[in-house]
Amino acid sequence: METGTLLTLGLYFIIMLGIGLFAYRKSTSDVQAYMLGGRSLSPKVTALSAGASDMSGWMLMGVPGAMYVSGFSSAWIAIGLVIGAYLNYLFVAPRLRVYTEKAKNAITIPDYFENRFEDNSRLLRVVSSIVIILFFTLYTSSGVVAGGKLFESSFGLSYEAGLYITAGVVVAYTLFGGFLAVSLTDFVQGCIMFLSLVLVPVVVLFELEGLAAAQQKITDINPDMLNLFVDASSASSVTFLGVVSLMAWGLGYFGQPHIIVRFMAIRHVSEMKTARRIGMSWMIVSLAGAMATGLLGMAYVAQNGVQLGDPETIFIYLSQVLFHPLVTGFLLAAILAAIMSTISSQLLVTSSSLTSDFYQAFVRRDASQTELVTVGRISVAAVAVLAVMLAYNRDSTILSLVSNAWAGFGAAFGPVILFSLYWKKMTRVSAIAGMISGALTVLFWIYAPVTISGYTLGSLIYEIVPGFIVCSLVIVLITLLTDRPSESILSTFDEVDKTLSKV
């Protein structure tokens, strides 16, 4: 690899570690500071941190790869994600920020559930934290795998060395700097991703001699590539259920702990509108750049007679052939940024659950703040070690489980979050039943040996759709059949309404 590229990547790693050391001084006082940054994030850090932790390597590899193969019909996922993210900012973010503070200053999602419903049985906390720990450990492992493969394919290192470097750098700044370090590094990583996804398609467009010429080249290769309603890879029309399935990815936002925890950490709810504008602008431009990279990259590869083995490497290929080694290092750092930002967020959410929802709740209720911060750091390291161990297995089993985690979180947590924030009569029993039924529906849809006209359930419609519907129906039905919540629950709900009415 070119010296310039290595120098740029080395500088990137130094900056990430430097941010971790900076945040260390502000993240050791108490568990709220370590796990939630003391609820002091600015709107721009909140927005870019939420975006960077959301997109991962999917933004720079998955989206361009899908556009490269299937054409513009892949844009339905991006459309669904933009709509889902906007609604998440609009309906979940402000109320969750206020409610988590009113509900005994909850710092994790299971913490919020328990306080919101006054669940003395602690069953809600246990069920939700088990879901978080299980899925996020696997999620983290998949990110480490992506880092290992990137170092192996692009940097000439062994797969195992890639695992250690990826996990080592992320653990270093997460373990010492906590939530503040994760959020600040996410902000920097979000900026790198944004610049890269603007720079690459613009340069490719110049290489193709302008927009009109590029469009003509794409049409000459396959006119279906620019058709929103035709899958260019199979020349088949996109069905109504297909569109619903792709756009349903947006439903997942309401239940993703590593994303919505950012909303809990903004310094004041009045700044949420600013965060929404920044976050949505970042997301729309970045997704457009990712889609353009795939389409224009396909035309560039065809024009130059190149054989690209893996469509998902189109961003890497363009970075290596079109730019100076120093810029190539910056662009490859964007992929690392996408991978690391998500790993760090998942590590911290899992650590928060282990610390607050298990250790403090069941082992040491009177633990000091310093002790809890120490346990949080140990948890970060422990989860990372387990993730690396799982990553040694390159089989697709882990990755296939993780690919369904978005649906699992969205169906199990999404309706519970929404109803808990907007329906004061919702009960503890309905929350538990909804969470379990949503998760089980997703698992059934994925693994049940059931077919309709020869098609599996998952191939007919994305599993988050039935999971979300079942969870919502169960919540409504059981709430109507169970007793009215306590007066203290109702009064807290009214306090949230009053606070938001003044914003």
Side-chain angles (χ1 to χ4, degrees):
M1 176 171 288
E2 296 281 354
T3 303
T5 302
L6 291 174
L7 286 173
T8 308
L9 289 170
L11 178 61
Y12 166 75
F13 285 133
I14 291 171
I15 292 172
M16 295 300 103
L17 294 173
I19 292 173
L21 289 174
F22 166 78
Y24 173 74
R25 298 189 302 175
K26 297 188 176 184
S27 303
T28 56
S29 56
D30 57 57
V31 71
Q32 178 176 287
Y34 185 73
M35 299 298 184
L36 213 56
R39 296 187 189 268
S40 61
L41 296 191
S42 67
K44 61 180 180 294
V45 174
T46 298
L48 265 66
S49 175
S53 63
D54 164 24
M55 288 305 174
S56 187
W58 178 83
M59 174 81 92
L60 287 98
M61 299 177 76
V63 174
M67 294 294 291
Y68 186 101
V69 173
S70 301
F72 207 57
S73 62
S74 299
W76 287 113
I77 293 180
I79 294 169
L81 289 173
V82 168
I83 294 172
Y86 179 77
L87 295 177
N88 204 27
Y89 268 112
L90 198 63
F91 294 112
V92 173
R95 292 191 72 88
L96 188 67
R97 170 60 179 87
V98 174
Y99 217 134
T100 51
E101 194 165 21
K102 296 288 185 183
K104 300 179 183 178
N105 200 28
I107 61 174
T108 67
I109 297 302
D111 204 16
Y112 161 71
F113 286 148
E114 181 174 282
N115 296 343
R116 161 67 175 85
F117 297 104
E118 295 183 350
D119 180 23
N120 296 323
S121 71
R122 320 217 93 174
L123 187 57
L124 248 179
R125 181 187 288 270
V126 171
V127 171
S128 54
S129 57
I130 286 174
V131 171
I132 287 173
I133 291 166
L134 173 64
F135 280 112
F136 271 155
T137 300
L138 295 173
Y139 241 141
T140 304
S141 178
S142 83
V144 176
V145 168
K149 290 184 176 180
L150 178 65
F151 274 97
E152 183 182 43
S153 61
S154 301
F155 306 148
L157 298 176
S158 69
Y159 172 75
E160 291 74 17
L163 296 182
Y164 294 134
I165 294 172
T166 303
V169 174
V170 176
V171 167
Y173 69 72
T174 306
L175 186 146
F176 289 107
F179 186 87
L180 183 59
V182 169
S183 298
L184 291 176
T185 52
D186 280 355
F187 174 77
V188 174
Q189 289 161 339
C191 291
I192 293 172
M193 292 163 65
F194 182 89
L195 291 172
S196 300
L197 287 169
V198 171
L199 181 61
V200 170
V202 167
V203 171
V204 178
L205 197 59
F206 276 110
E207 291 289 325
L208 294 173
E209 301 176 348
L211 185 60
Q215 183 177 351
Q216 187 59 52
K217 287 184 175 71
I218 294 170
T219 304
D220 291 343
I221 296 166
N222 186 346
D224 290 337
M225 292 295 291
L226 298 177
N227 193 328
L228 189 60
F229 298 95
V230 177
D231 183 341
S233 63
S234 60
S236 58
S237 299
V238 179
T239 64
F240 173 75
L241 283 181
V243 172
V244 171
S245 289
L246 294 172
M247 292 189 66
W249 277 81
L251 285 175
Y253 276 107
F254 304 124
Q256 303 300 319
H258 61 304
I259 298 172
I260 59 179
V261 74
R262 264 55 185 184
F263 305 147
M264 296 160 58
I266 196 169
R267 61 194 174 199
H268 196 274
V269 67
S270 63
E271 296 180 312
M272 200 65 77
K273 184 180 290 186
T274 303
R276 182 176 73 234
R277 289 170 178 166
I278 295 171
M280 293 310 303
S281 299
W282 179 91
M283 184 178 188
I284 291 169
V285 173
S286 297
L287 279 173
M291 291 189 291
T293 297
L295 272 179
L296 298 174
M298 184 271 298
Y300 179 85
V301 165
Q303 175 180 280
N304 291 277
V306 177
Q307 295 296 322
L308 191 67
D310 183 357
E312 291 193 341
T313 62
I314 182 62
F315 182 90
I316 297 173
Y317 169 75
L318 294 172
S319 301
Q320 292 172 332
V321 299
L322 293 178
F323 297 92
H324 184 278
L326 285 172
V327 181
T328 298
F330 175 82
L331 297 174
L332 293 179
I335 301 177
L336 279 173
I339 294 168
M340 289 181 173
S341 60
T342 303
I343 293 175
S344 61
S345 300
Q346 293 161 350
L347 273 178
L348 196 66
V349 170
T350 312
S351 167
S352 301
S353 246
L354 286 169
T355 304
S356 180
D357 304 322
F358 278 103
Y359 186 81
Q360 186 178 24
F362 298 105
V363 180
R364 289 262 294 175
R365 295 190 181 185
D366 58 346
S368 68
Q369 293 297 308
T370 303
E371 180 181 347
L372 291 175
V373 172
T374 301
V375 171
R377 289 182 170 137
I378 293 171
S379 300
V380 167
V383 173
V385 168
L386 180 58
V388 171
M389 291 171 62
L390 291 172
Y392 265 99
N393 179 2
R394 298 198 190 197
D395 292 343
S396 59
T397 339
I398 295 173
L399 295 178
S400 63
L401 284 171
V402 175
S403 68
N404 298 318
W406 182 268
F409 278 129
F413 287 166
V416 180
I417 290 283
L418 287 170
F419 279 104
S420 71
L421 292 174
Y422 285 95
W423 195 14
K424 67 165 66 177
K425 294 182 180 180
M426 182 181 175
T427 63
R428 176 185 69 88
V429 178
S430 67
I432 296 171
M435 195 179 297
I436 294 173
S437 64
L440 290 178
T441 301
V442 167
L443 293 174
F444 176 82
W445 213 260
I446 296 169
Y447 298 111
V450 178
T451 59
I452 298 177
S453 300
Y455 295 97
T456 62
L457 297 176
S459 65
L460 291 172
I461 193 165
Y462 184 32
E463 54 268 15
I464 197 174
V465 177
F468 202 94
I469 292 172
V470 169
C471 180
S472 300
L473 290 175
V474 168
I475 289 172
V476 172
L477 180 62
I478 295 184
T479 296
L480 295 176
L481 294 175
T482 48
D483 294 334
R484 174 186 171 90
S486 69
E487 288 303 320
S488 59
I489 290 178
L490 298 176
S491 64
T492 302
F493 195 98
D494 292 337
E495 283 181 37
V496 173
D497 282 338
K498 290 178 183 176
T499 301
L500 288 167
S501 67
K502 298 175 183 177
V503 176

